[in-house]
Amino acid sequence: MKTKFKVGDHVSWNSEAGRVSGIITRVHTKDYNYKGYTHHASDEDPQYEIKSDKSDHIAAHKGSALTLLSKK
């Protein structure tokens, strides 16, 4: 079973710069456009928008790329 995250959860993920952490700000359950790309999402496999702890950068990832650090 895939882990489902919620808005406010603190998560981490791998990036080109190393391990990054942030807070989930949105959960997408339908395909959506972000930064010129269509991101595919569904109820079974949502995409998450995460605001980095160290900058204002917003990242978009599937749950399989995320590790839960703490719940809201």
Side-chain angles (χ1 to χ4, degrees):
M1 183 174 154
K2 295 179 182 179
T3 303
K4 298 278 182 152
F5 300 99
K6 296 180 182 171
V7 170
D9 285 352
H10 193 219
V11 296
S12 69
W13 66 97
N14 259 341
S15 77
E16 302 85 26
R19 202 87 185 145
V20 181
S21 62
I23 302 291
I24 293 176
T25 58
R26 289 186 74 183
V27 178
H28 294 275
T29 56
K30 294 185 180 358
D31 292 353
Y32 67 103
N33 289 318
Y34 181 73
K35 294 187 177 182
Y37 296 96
T38 299
H39 292 262
H40 299 286
S42 65
D43 286 330
E44 297 79 30
D45 196 16
Q47 284 249 356
Y48 301 93
E49 284 186 37
I50 309 118
K51 183 176 183 291
S52 170
D53 288 338
K54 294 186 178 181
S55 71
D56 287 336
H57 179 77
I58 302 292
H61 292 292
K62 290 199 175 245
S64 59
L66 303 175
T67 301
L68 181 65
L69 298 176
S70 64
K71 288 241 178 236
K72 176 179 175 185

